[in-house]
Amino acid sequence: MHTFTYQETGATRAGPLPRGYDHLRHRARVGRGRAAFEAAGAAVTEWRMHRAAGTLVDASADRAEAGVAVEVTLRVGPLRFTAPCEVVWADYTPERIGFAYGTLDGHPERGEESFVVELADDGTVWFAVTAFSRPALWYTRLAGPLVRVFQRSYVRRLGRTLRRIAAEG
């Protein structure tokens, strides 16, 4: 186990999101029915969604569970940003599959982000991202609002990627 760089661990699960951070909430329809739900849930918790969206993921386990170390590397043109995290919580229920990871030392931000797939009563499969973060390193402080623009663009890309994975079943 590592030491998180923020105090409010688990807030993406229990809410409310803590003050003093930028908040991100994104929800997208990714499919319909149990098969799409299970395919999307597995893609999220087995890192396939992130990898299919072009993110490098190095995790200490094949599946998200509390305590799993995760290093996410994003490429933006010639630049590479490595973000060490640890899974804070994971849910595996008949209507909800997902996890959240929190930031560790060396991450460009401080905070937590959850990725959850939900099966609604009408059979609709939803993908939800909930996050709270603030800059931790000089370059994220310098980039200011551009970081938020990038984060929103990235979660929309994750949603499109997951929709494609769920459709393939």
Side-chain angles (χ1 to χ4, degrees):
M1 289 281 238
H2 300 92
T3 302
F4 293 106
T5 59
Y6 63 103
Q7 301 265 328
E8 305 87 347
T9 56
T12 56
R13 180 188 229 173
L17 297 182
R19 294 184 346 185
Y21 294 86
D22 291 314
H23 297 168
L24 171 70
R25 294 181 190 273
H26 176 76
R27 190 166 186 240
R29 183 183 181 280
V30 295
R32 185 158 190 77
R34 172 83 37 202
F37 168 73
E38 291 175 3
V44 166
T45 59
E46 296 170 3
W47 323 115
R48 289 195 321 269
M49 173 190 67
H50 284 83
R51 289 178 177 136
T55 306
L56 302 173
V57 177
D58 183 20
S60 64
D62 293 336
R63 179 175 134 145
E65 295 287 353
V68 170
V70 183
E71 188 173 88
V72 177
T73 302
L74 300 172
R75 292 175 288 198
V76 180
L79 304 174
R80 293 169 69 100
F81 299 95
T82 300
C85 305
E86 184 175 304
V87 176
V88 176
W89 58 262
D91 278 344
Y92 294 94
T93 71
E95 288 81 33
R96 181 178 158 98
I97 299 172
F99 73 95
Y101 50 44
T103 59
L104 303 175
D105 280 334
H107 195 292
E109 296 278 305
R110 291 183 199 281
E112 190 172 292
E113 188 168 24
S114 70
F115 307 91
V116 176
V117 178
E118 297 172 314
L119 180 61
D121 291 340
D122 69 356
T124 303
V125 180
W126 294 96
F127 171 59
V129 177
T130 304
F132 61 92
S133 62
R134 63 181 172 220
L137 299 176
W138 68 268
Y139 58 86
T140 49
R141 283 191 291 277
L142 182 66
L146 292 177
V147 172
R148 306 297 157 239
V149 170
F150 174 78
Q151 286 175 328
R152 292 185 193 296
S153 173
Y154 180 67
V155 298
R156 285 192 300 272
R157 184 169 75 203
L158 291 177
R160 288 189 303 272
T161 300
L162 195 57
R163 185 177 306 117
R164 187 181 71 246
I165 291 170
E168 294 167 0

